[in-house]
Structure formats: C-alpha cells, structure tokens
Amino acid sequence: MRVDGRKCNQIRPVKITRNYTKYAEGSVLIENGDTKVICTASIEDKVPPFLKGRGEGWITCEYNMIPRATQVRKARDINRGRIDGRTMEIQRIIGRALRSVVDLRAIGEKTIWVDCDVIQADGGTRTASISGAFVALVDAVNKLHKQNPFTIYPIRDFVSAVSVGIVNDTRMLDLCYLEDSRAKVDMNVVMTDSGEFVEIQGTGEQNPFTREDLKELLALAEKGIKSMISAQKDSLKMDSLWIGTGGE
Amino acid sequence: MRVDGRKCNQIRPVKITRNYTKYAEGSVLIENGDTKVICTASIEDKVPPFLKGRGEGWITCEYNMIPRATQVRKARDINRGRIDGRTMEIQRIIGRALRSVVDLRAIGEKTIWVDCDVIQADGGTRTASISGAFVALVDAVNKLHKQNPFTIYPIRDFVSAVSVGIVNDTRMLDLCYLEDSRAKVDMNVVMTDSGEFVEIQGTGEQNPFTREDLKELLALAEKGIKSMISAQKDSLKMDSLWIGTGGE
Amino acid sequence: MRVDGRKCNQIRPVKITRNYTKYAEGSVLIENGDTKVICTASIEDKVPPFLKGRGEGWITCEYNMIPRATQVRKARDINRGRIDGRTMEIQRIIGRALRSVVDLRAIGEKTIWVDCDVIQADGGTRTASISGAFVALVDAVNKLHKQNPFTIYPIRDFVSAVSVGIVNDTRMLDLCYLEDSRAKVDMNVVMTDSGEFVEIQGTGEQNPFTREDLKELLALAEKGIKSMISAQKDSLKMDSLWIGTGGE
Amino acid sequence: MRVDGRKCNQIRPVKITRNYTKYAEGSVLIENGDTKVICTASIEDKVPPFLKGRGEGWITCEYNMIPRATQVRKARDINRGRIDGRTMEIQRIIGRALRSVVDLRAIGEKTIWVDCDVIQADGGTRTASISGAFVALVDAVNKLHKQNPFTIYPIRDFVSAVSVGIVNDTRMLDLCYLEDSRAKVDMNVVMTDSGEFVEIQGTGEQNPFTREDLKELLALAEKGIKSMISAQKDSLKMDSLWIGTGGE
Amino acid sequence: MRVDGRKCNQIRPVKITRNYTKYAEGSVLIENGDTKVICTASIEDKVPPFLKGRGEGWITCEYNMIPRATQVRKARDINRGRIDGRTMEIQRIIGRALRSVVDLRAIGEKTIWVDCDVIQADGGTRTASISGAFVALVDAVNKLHKQNPFTIYPIRDFVSAVSVGIVNDTRMLDLCYLEDSRAKVDMNVVMTDSGEFVEIQGTGEQNPFTREDLKELLALAEKGIKSMISAQKDSLKMDSLWIGTGGE
Amino acid sequence: MRVDGRKCNQIRPVKITRNYTKYAEGSVLIENGDTKVICTASIEDKVPPFLKGRGEGWITCEYNMIPRATQVRKARDINRGRIDGRTMEIQRIIGRALRSVVDLRAIGEKTIWVDCDVIQADGGTRTASISGAFVALVDAVNKLHKQNPFTIYPIRDFVSAVSVGIVNDTRMLDLCYLEDSRAKVDMNVVMTDSGEFVEIQGTGEQNPFTREDLKELLALAEKGIKSMISAQKDSLKMDSLWIGTGGE
C-alpha cells in the first residue's frame, strides 16, 4: 500500500479544466493528485531569428513554480539571479515533448509560447506540465484553425507523460512527492497515443538499476500514459486528432 | 454607465477563497472582477541581517504575474534580466500597507514572506493583492497564535486598498483594465478599518488634477475600502481583530 | 523650532546654478539646503522602439547617488547587481513629473534623457531632482528651439516638488534627513505653477493619518511649491513659459 | 558504412592521457575520435552549506567548451549572461554519473570539483566527459588515499558513458557530430562495470521510437560501455577497484 | 601651439577643493582644466575576507562617470549590465597608485574606500583621479590620526599622476580630450614625490614608439608630476608628510 | 640562480604547435615553460556595429583560464557573475598588441576573434597569449589570403611579449609564477620585430622603481622579445612577413 492508499500501478486522480484564464489562446489547469499546474499556450506571429524565412513555426516552453508551491518557500529565479539546472532541464523536456507531435511546417511562421506555472507541487510537476500543456496547445491550435483552417492539421498525435520509480524496492507509477524523495530510481516517460516513446529519462543516482527494472518500469509507464491520454481526450471531447478540426 | 455595467461608485464583485493551496501558512485566492491573485503568507524563523538581535519581526512582499495573466504575454523577469520599476513599486506598497497594521515587535524575530502571484490581470492587481494578502497574513498569524499564543496580538487593524480615477471626465471607483488604460488621473488608496490613510498614490501624468478632484476621489475610495474590508471580515468570519485569537 | 532653526512652513534655501557642466544641452546644480543634485538633460535624435514612427518624443529619467552622498557609504548599483526599489520609484516619479508638463508631440521623435546625480543627500533628493531637472529640461528645449523653433512650444507649465511630513506630531515642510528619518507620515507632492497636482505620494507606514492631516499637509506643500517655482523662474530669468523662447 | 568508415557497433578510438596538467589532483585528457576534453578533479576541504556537519562529501561538476571547440565559434557564457540549458543538463548528468559509484560518506566532508573543458567537439562531448572525469576522479581519490588511507575505499565501481542513436534508419553506436546532427533518435547511456544503468536519456524529438528500437539501442550502448571501461582500466593500470588503493 | 594655447610641456590649471562634500572622511573636487572629479575617501572598520586577522588594512578604489560627463551621453553601468574594461583598468591603477605610498600594516584592520566620480571629462580623468584621491586619502587618514594617533604615520610619500603622449608627431604633457583622441602614443605615469615610478602604462596601438620617444615622454611626465604634487601640497598646506600629523 | 635554474636574462623554453585544434582558421598551443595557452583565431564576415560601413576590419580578443589551470581552483566567470578586472585588462592588452601590427583597412569588413584559453598557468600567461595569438592570427590571415589574396597583405610586422621584473633585488626576464608572486616590480613589454614598443606596463605597487631599473628591465625585455619572435618565425617557417603570402 502506498502513502495515499493507491495501488502500485495506479495514477492519481487527474482533472483538466480548460479555459482556466481568459486571455491565453489555450489555458488549462491540470490537477494530478495535489500537483496543480496552470498551462497556457500563447501565439505570437513571428519566429525566433534562427528560423526566420524558413516557413516553419516554433514551440518554446517555460516552467516555473510560485514560491510557496512547495513545502519550503523557494526564492524566485530573479532573486537568485539565475534559472536553476532543474528548471532548465524541465523546460527543455516539455518543449521536446510537444514538438515531437507537431508538424512545425504546417504551423507556418508562428511561435507558440507554452507556460507551465506550478501553483502546488506534490511530485510529478514536469509530467503534469507536459500532459496539461498538450491540451492548452490543442486549444490554441484549434483557435487558429477556426479563424483560418490549416492545409495540414499540425498536431499529429496525443502526447502525455508520467513518472515511475523504485521506492522501497517496489516499482511504482506516478510518484507523489513523499515517494519521489525516497525513490532510488526515478524515471520520466513521455509517450504518444500510438505507443511510441518520445523521451525516456531514467536515473539511478544512488542505486543503478537493471535491465529487468527498466522493462517493468516502462510497462508501468505505458499503463499510466494510457490513463493520462484518456483524461486529455475526455477534456477535449475529442476521440482522435485525425478528424482534423475537432474541438468545441 | 461603465464598460461592465457598474455604477461609478461601485466596486466589482469580490470573492476571497482561503486555504487555496496546501503548504503555505496563509493561502488566499482573491478575485476582484476578472482580476485574480494568489496571495500566500509564509513564516520563516529568522529576520534579515539588518534586524538581527532587535527582537522585531519583518514582513517582506513579492509580486509577480504569470506571463499570460495579461492580454499580451509578458516575458518573465528572469528572461528580461531584471524586475521592472512597476513591479518594484507594487512590492514596496504592499509591504508598507501590511506593516502599517502589524506590531512587528509583537511578532518576534520572524519574517513573514507575502507572495502575490497574479494569474489573471484586469486592472487593480496591486489593490487586490493588498486586500488578499491581508487575509493570508491573518491566517498565518493565527496559525502561529494557536501553536503559541502571542502576548500582544500583532495585528492592530484591518487594511484594504482600492483604485479610483478619472476616466472620460468621470470619477470612478475600482477601475478595470479598460478604464485604467484610459484614465487621466489614477489613484491608489490604502486605508484601515478605522478610516485612516496608510497610503495615497495619485498621478495625473497626462492631466494634472485639482483639489476638488482629489477630495471626490478620496470619498469614492473610502466607500470602496468599506466594501472590501467587509468582504475580508466575511471571509475570515471575524468581525473584529481586537478579540484576539479569532479565526477558524 | 526645527533642527536647523527653520519654521515649520519654511523651505530650506534653494540655489540653482545653470550650465553647471559643459557638454549637456541642459545642466543644473540644484542645492536645497545641504541636498545637492546635478541634473542634466541630454537630447538624442531617436525614440525608444515602442514609440517609433508615431511622431512623438519621450522623456526618460535616471537617478543615482554617488556612493558617499550619504552618511554611510552605499555600494554602487553595479556592485549590488541591481537597481533598488527606492531608486526605481524615484526615477519613475521624476519622469512622470516632467512629462506631465511637456507636449511630447510638439517635441517630435526625440528622446530627452534626464539624469539626476545626487552628490550630497540631506533629505528631499527626489523633490530637489524634479525641481532641478525641470530647469535643465527648459534649457535643453530652448537650445533646440533656438536652432530650429518649434511650431508649438513644448513646455506647458512650470512644475516643482516638495516633501511634507509629520514629525513629532508636528506637520512640517521640506524635511531634512534628520526629520525625514523620524517622520511618522511622509508625503511628496508634485505641482504645477497653475496649482494643479501632478502627483501625491503619502505614506504613513508606522502611523496611518487622518483626512485633516492630509488637508494641512497639502496646504504646506502648496506653499513650498510656490517658493520652489519662484526660484526656478529667477534662475531661468523667465517669468512665464507662455512667451515661448525665453531663456538666455 | 559510416562517414568515418566505422561499423555501426564500433566506437571511435579512445585515448586517455593522465596527469595532463600539473596542479589538479586528477587531470585527464580524453580523446574519443576528434572529441577532446580536459577533465580535472580538484579537492576542497569543505562541503556546500546544505551538507555541513553531516559527515558526507560532495561531487560537483562543471562543463564548458572553449569558444572555438565547435565549427562555428560560440560566445562565452559570461558574454551571453547565462549558462544555457544544454550545458546545465550536461553538468547535472555528469554529476549524477560520478556520484552513482561513489560512497560520499566514505569521502568525509570534502568537495570534489570535477571540471570538463571541451577543447574540440565532434559529438559525444557529454559521454566522453563522464568517461574521462571518472579517471580523473580515481586519480584524485587515490592521491587522498595515499596521504591518508580511507577506511572504506570510496569508489564502488567503474562508470562510463556512450551515445547511441538512429541515423538514416540505422542504429549506431558513438555518434560523431555529423551523425548526431542528423539523428532522429538520440540516446545517452551511463552504465557501470557491473552492467547496471545509472542513467538513460533517450529523445526522439522528431520521430518517436519503438520498444524494439529501445532494446537494440541499449544493446549497442552496452557494447560501447564495455570498450570504454576497458580503456579506463588500461589507462589506470587497474583491473578492478575492489583491491583498494590500486594505481601508480 | 596646442588647442588650448598651452606649451607642450605645460599642464592645465589645477584646482583642488578640499571638504567638498560633508559626510566623507576625505572629500575633494579636483579640476584639471575642464576635467572635474569628485574624490572621496571613506573609512570602514573592517577588511575584506581575504585579509581578516592579518592586522593589515586595505584601500579599494572605484571610478565612475556621471552619464553626461562626456560629449555623448554614456549609459550607466547598471543599464549595460557590466563594468566595462576601461573602468576596470582605471579602478585598478588608482588602487595600486594609492597603496604604493601607504603602509597598510600601519593602518590596521580598516578599509579605505576611495570613490572617484567624474562629473566632467576632458581627458586625463584617471590621472586627475589619482592626484585628487591622494588628497582625499590624506584628509581621511589625518582625521583618524587626530582621533587616535597612529604609531607609524601610514602615508610614506606624495603620489601623483599625469598623462603624456605623441600628437601630430609632437610629444605633449597632460593631454586634453581633443589631443588624447588623436594621440598616436598615449602614456600614463604615476610617480612619487621622491621621483620614483609607481606605474608606467604606455600604448602605441596604432603606432609603436621608440626608446627615444619613451625617454622624452618620461621627462615630460616628471615635470608634470612635480607641478601636480606642488598643487597637492598647497592644498593640504603641508610641505612634507614626514612631520607626521600635518594638516589643518 | 633562479628557482628553475635559469639565468636572469634567459626565457623559459618556448614550444609553438600550430593547427592544434581542427575547426579554427588559426589554432595554436603555445607552451612557455609550464604555462600553456590554446590560442585560436576565428574569422567572422561582419564587424561590430560601431564599424559598419567603414570598410575596416576588427580584431577582438578574449582571455580565460580553465578553472584548474592554477594551483587553487578558480571559479568560472559565469558563476562569479562577472569578468574580473585582471581578465579585462589582459583582454584589452592582447587586442591592442595584435591590432598594432595589423592594417585593419586591408582586412576589409571582417572580425577576427582571438581566443586565448589558458590550460596551465605558471606565470606570464598574458605575454604567452600575445605571442601565441600572433601565430594563430597569421595562420588565419594566410588562410584568407590563399582563398582570395589581399591587395595589401594586412600584417605589417611580427609582435611578441615578455614579462620582466625585480625579484629579491634582482632584475629578471620571463618570470615564472613563483618569481612573479614575489616580484617587487612587475613589467610586461610588447614589442615588434623592428624593435619598437607597442605597450609597456610596469607596476611597483609595493616598491616604486627608479629610472635605472626601468632602463635595465627594458633591455632584458628586448632580449626576451627577440627569442620569442625567433620561435614564432621557426614555427611559421617564415623569416619575414614582407614577402607576403608566406606560410605553408
């Protein structure tokens, strides 16, 4: 039994609220257990200099926590003078996850800014961010699509993420903070609805892990991803992206 | 008639949700019309170096907006490399407002960190921050008080804030963003429940204003402050602070 | 009686030296008692990006103190890594004060940089900066006007500032540092020659103040402003701006 | 056939030069094909504040490239004002890799600073850094051990890293820059001599990958790791760490 | 004949005003032609960490220009984000010059902060800073000496600086800005009253110079230094430092 | 006798390895005793904004040390938040030295970035950087020249640098770190093959020095420069630059 009564292969309750704030083209509050993240997608009609004139779009992601999202208050980046390595790593993984299912040529010369602001952190903020940001991204893309339909609908597949790990010699799905802080092996998996991996990041800093561990953890992750994508579909009232414009 | 149908002397609906996030000693979501701010109060068992050994506490305030709290996405401070002047000004006024009603000696050598994170901005974010932060502060102080009662209860009075201004030659209470952006005179007023001023900041950058304008704007502000303090009292289920421990 | 023998409604001696340094288009040393500020106005033939192509000018202000302008040496901004909140606040108030009396369209696409560098600080540096900067601004504008007369003379009115406050329960005009550091209420007032308010910033951080206090402090301020504007006029040898080119 | 004539399951030539510079406790030049990294290990007799008094040591890693290590000159971090996300990510992975095989309690309250400075970059700089840094670390630890033998020898196992990836639909080991820049899937694997994983970081940003891909890539990685560890052992003239002091 | 009518071996008029501002222990305005620098010396009762407990004092120097000290306004360091190389170089040379004539052990564990703030720059600001800062330093040291006489008077000799250079193939003393900007060779010389060199910095970036040039330039410099030290002595009303306490 | 057995007028062994890394247009490892510096010259097809459209080129230099180039590990610039004054000074002197022998008009609108990265520091890193950077610069210029011959060959003369100083009352050439750290007078001299000075920087912070000292130190420097230029010529297999294209 886990600290919150879940089974080892069970994810925490997921709640996705769309149109959470009113200005962003896509705005989602995702709650994964006690982890809560506001994900917005904002569209800008230009691309960064390195892409200018190539007819492609770009997706850039930023991640942050409000200072008291955590048990101990964490100073703001601007007061510490730099973004820490963990935040950098998370921003990069969110960006790669979203770009992996988007046809950037189909978007044209636009930048989609994805902001993930954690308001309460109880483990798994990076995976919740990916899962929530995907829904905000779909809403933003659909808003564009309604105004001016894309020739090729730019989102190719659903994408979602979960964490898995080994805690007290037990392999577990979707670790909460208490579990995460004791985990010997910690792995984040990003996967598409068609069952392919976008990203695997597994670390056994204190205790290296075996090929068998890896296999079992990936099986758990796959199960979690399915639940998470199912929550995304319910929220978007879309069963599949292939139909095209979908949505509201 | 105003853009949102209000009368000139009417504030927007106010909703204060206490215990909004789970880790902070005080955590409030204040909604003032479409302006929404998460205010947390966090207690730290030490004071900044300049106060060490003097037996006094300190209250320090930080204010921020998530990037898409506004109509146009605003880059994060850390990416622009500095806190802008407007944010600095707001942080300082929130701090002064809260400290004006707190007996810092009664608190002892503790720092209370107040964080105001705007998740949706529709004008009046600094005044909403003050009004919401006060409630978070009371909750945090009461948490301390229950664990270990203060000899002197450190909060001396309620404090709240509203904006007033002159828009299209009309004096108005509690400006929303559309009004604020067209205001010729813009004034923020911080006041206590006993009817005294803590802060008056009035600016007529484009159009200087007369003594008569000042008098009428202050009268409007006083009316708004009364409504705001009434919302604070309802939320805290406390009619007065003097009884002492009050609270939940 | 006050620490320096003045009456409560009396400002400190004011001395304004024009053409204090040789390169700036306007360059003034203002001495207000022991407070001494070098104010320069520099003209640049372009505007910041957000104003480009709109045919308007801009006035931007920077304020600083040399490290030993104060009793205790203060580290330079660059060594502390940031401009502090107080400096930011002051820069913004100086800018608003000057822009309030200038027709930015009449100036055309130019930026006027106003620099206020305090070389000795004895209270009231922000108000002295405003009063001195206005004179430097007039000199710079007149220099442009002589080279190439403006269709509309861009300065609409004189503007000046003073501080008032409550010290030992007495309301006083133009506080020196010793008074300022003990003041329970502290207010800065910016006013035009025609008697209208540009800015009121009043704070009673430790002791909120009443409506009666406010009324009396504003009356004192008005008296001080009159003296300060009179000193500006003497220095500029201009009785009024309306005549137009005035000056040397 | 690959661009440099290697077989798909072959790593580039590895050359490890110990005592490359004269001051550091451990100093190694590792050459992996045309990738060249100077790895030094420096010992400091204190730990960071968060570990003080706990009797444990710490290993911290920094990674950098000289500006013209790459085809196009890259501006120095200090001139761009920040460490970029890629560098942060690499520093963190090197640190985790080394700490995974070190008993930090056995080291006592010391910090080992590991610096990896790339002087020529032809792909795989992060994996070469890990492999080279491990040798520098062993030298530094052995230097301490000779002066004052540890009760428990603090290094528990060899650790090494390689990259694998899918290029033109072919799975390949130890990608050079040309291959890396065209890879659809890119994976870095850190593994111990006993065959356990310390870290797996696999990304298919453009093309998600299957479970079969993952299995085959890990098999390639394992082969590469064996060769790399063999090079480490030759260089250190140690067949095993268990004997204890080994070395020179 | 030079642009300002001087002879080639003549320095510009020097005026040294002591007690220029009221808070600093030593405060001097030095005017060397149109170059004007405020030099203050501030005493702090501690030394930087690297000197703690060694019974020695320290002298640290900072140099800055107000933005419009020059013909074209120069942005403040804090707005450009860094101190530029020229400023760094100047700060270091001022520090070395002053420390060369001070017995830091005699001062005890104190830091003397020397600030040179240029309010008008017409060439030779670094040499004027050294010459003026020395006088401020003597005043600060004498203030300490009067309160509590030093066993060994800590200032061993007068020190002063001048620039020399080759302009239009003519060797000249004490270059003004117009000359300096056209100089092919530019040299700053710091020398003591006893005729020894503290620092020679000569650069012929565009045109290397000969041994003969060097000899003649040093002779000119020596002449200039004598005049400058004579101005220091007049200002301090001290003919020699050896008598000890000297001064007012 | 000196610490390393050299005579006072003898430089340390010099070894110059060209084409040390593979991407830069010029890439040199210079070893001067135990001081080792990688010098690269990189060509960029544009100039900084202040030179645009003037038909001239530019040479800009950066200098850095890897953290453990020194006996005690030195934190990286980015972690200390700024480039220190010593580094700034060195970068500027390298730039002036190289520009002094280059005809920037002959180069056309190109920037040559010269990077000097010290991998082992045993005194004289700035002078070794100049001497090595010159060789890298010649290689880079010759690469351009072969692709597209210059009308005027842009390098006018060889340039080299050495340090001299007074240690234990003895004048010495080419100080190693141990000597440098005890030197009472420390001087860096940059000179051309035709025997003219480009830069003289002499400091006697602790002990001012006489005209006689200066004369003798310059004579030593001249001798050292001759040896250094001879090493440059051997390495480049060029006896003279005047022939033009020279080189490989």
Side-chain angles (χ1 to χ4, degrees), chain A residues 58 82-89 92-93 95-97 99-101 126 156 187 191-192 195-211 213-215 218-219 222, chain D residues 58 82-89 92-93 95-97 99-101 126 156 187 191-192 195-211 213-215 218-219 222:
Chain A
W58 187 243
R82 57 174 63 180
I83 299 180
D84 61 30
R86 177 187 165 275
T87 298
M88 285 265 194
E89 223 174 88
R92 287 161 61 85
I93 195 180
R96 287 192 301 253
R99 288 191 301 267
S100 77
V101 292
R126 85 184 67 187
R156 294 188 292 232
M187 189 171 295
M191 217 173 195
T192 64
E196 292 192 306
F197 295 112
V198 172
E199 186 111 12
I200 298 173
Q201 291 201 338
T203 302
E205 180 174 332
Q206 300 167 305
N207 285 55
F209 55 99
T210 64
R211 191 160 295 220
D213 288 326
L214 177 61
K215 197 184 126 201
L218 291 176
E222 193 165 355
Chain D
W58 187 242
R82 58 174 62 180
I83 297 180
D84 61 29
R86 177 186 165 275
T87 298
M88 285 265 195
E89 223 174 87
R92 287 161 59 87
I93 196 180
R96 288 192 300 254
R99 288 191 300 268
S100 77
V101 292
R126 84 184 67 187
R156 291 187 294 230
M187 189 171 296
M191 217 174 198
T192 64
E196 293 192 306
F197 296 112
V198 172
E199 186 111 11
I200 297 174
Q201 292 202 338
T203 302
E205 180 174 330
Q206 301 168 304
N207 286 55
F209 55 100
T210 64
R211 191 160 296 217
D213 287 328
L214 176 62
K215 197 183 126 201
L218 291 176
E222 193 164 355

Side-chain angles (χ1 to χ4, degrees), chain E:
Chain E
M1 273 288 272
R2 297 167 70 174
V3 287
D4 52 6
R6 274 185 295 154
K7 282 182 284 181
C8 287
N9 66 355
Q10 205 180 350
I11 64 169
R12 292 173 289 179
V14 178
K15 186 175 165 196
I16 297 174
T17 307
R18 286 163 63 212
N19 304 314
Y20 184 66
T21 56
K22 73 174 186 178
Y23 301 116
E25 283 72 29
S27 173
V28 157
L29 173 70
I30 184 166
E31 299 170 79
N32 183 20
D34 273 350
T35 289
K36 300 182 187 188
V37 188
I38 301 175
C39 307
T40 63
S42 302
I43 292 164
E44 189 188 25
D45 269 328
K46 63 176 187 187
V47 285
F50 68 89
L51 278 181
K52 231 172 223 171
R54 289 172 50 180
E56 276 178 62
W58 187 244
I59 298 174
T60 189
C61 296
E62 292 183 6
Y63 166 98
N64 196 23
M65 296 204 286
I66 65 171
R68 199 55 195 280
T70 44
Q71 277 189 304
V72 173
R73 186 182 183 275
K74 192 186 162 207
R76 294 174 194 269
D77 289 340
I78 191 67
N79 293 329
R80 286 177 301 120
R82 58 175 61 179
I83 298 180
D84 61 30
R86 177 187 165 274
T87 298
M88 285 265 195
E89 222 174 89
I90 293 176
Q91 297 189 155
R92 287 161 60 87
I93 195 181
I94 302 172
R96 288 192 301 253
L98 297 181
R99 288 191 300 269
S100 77
V101 293
V102 172
D103 181 343
L104 294 170
R105 297 192 166 278
I107 282 176
E109 294 215 352
K110 287 176 173 27
T111 297
I112 304 182
W113 293 84
V114 172
D115 288 287
C116 298
D117 286 86
V118 178
I119 59 177
Q120 195 168 276
D122 188 25
T125 61
R126 84 185 66 189
T127 51
S129 293
I130 290 169
S131 304
F134 176 76
V135 177
L137 178 72
V138 171
D139 272 338
V141 164
N142 285 351
K143 196 161 285 177
L144 286 179
H145 196 54
K146 274 178 193 159
Q147 289 162 8
N148 192 0
F150 293 107
T151 314
I152 299 168
Y153 184 75
I155 306 180
R156 291 187 294 231
D157 204 350
F158 282 81
V159 72
S160 221
V162 290
S163 74
V164 288
I166 304 181
V167 185
N168 299 332
D169 299 320
T170 309
R171 299 180 194 115
M172 290 180 183
L173 173 60
D174 188 20
L175 312 187
C176 67
Y177 176 73
L178 212 64
E179 293 165 344
D180 189 57
S181 59
R182 298 172 185 164
K184 292 187 172 167
V185 176
D186 176 32
M187 189 171 296
N188 292 290
V189 180
V190 183
M191 217 174 196
T192 63
D193 193 21
S194 55
E196 293 193 307
F197 295 112
V198 173
E199 186 113 10
I200 298 174
Q201 292 201 338
T203 303
E205 180 174 331
Q206 300 168 304
N207 286 57
F209 55 100
T210 63
R211 191 161 294 218
E212 180 64 18
D213 287 327
L214 176 62
K215 197 183 126 200
E216 293 297 323
L217 289 171
L218 292 176
L220 275 178
E222 191 163 358
K223 185 171 178 304
I225 295 278
K226 277 199 200 322
S227 309
M228 194 58 90
I229 288 181
S230 162
Q232 292 174 325
K233 288 182 176 173
D234 288 352
S235 151
L236 284 163
K237 298 186 193 91
M238 293 165 79
D239 219 41
S240 127
L241 289 156
W242 314 120
I243 317 180
T245 59
E248 310 166 74

Side-chain angles (χ1 to χ4, degrees), chain B residues 83 85 88-89 92 96 99-100 196-205 208-211 214 218 222, chain C residues 83 85 88-89 92 96 99-100 196-205 208-211 214 218 222:
Chain B
I83 298 180
M88 284 266 194
E89 221 174 271
R92 287 161 61 86
R96 288 193 301 252
R99 288 191 300 268
S100 77
E196 293 192 306
F197 296 113
V198 172
E199 186 112 10
I200 297 173
Q201 291 201 336
T203 301
E205 180 174 330
F209 54 100
T210 63
R211 190 160 296 219
L214 176 63
L218 292 176
E222 192 163 357
Chain C
I83 298 180
M88 285 265 196
E89 222 174 270
R92 286 161 61 85
R96 288 192 301 252
R99 289 191 299 269
S100 76
E196 292 192 307
F197 295 113
V198 172
E199 185 111 11
I200 298 173
Q201 292 202 337
T203 303
E205 180 173 330
F209 55 100
T210 63
R211 190 159 296 220
L214 177 62
L218 291 176
E222 192 164 355

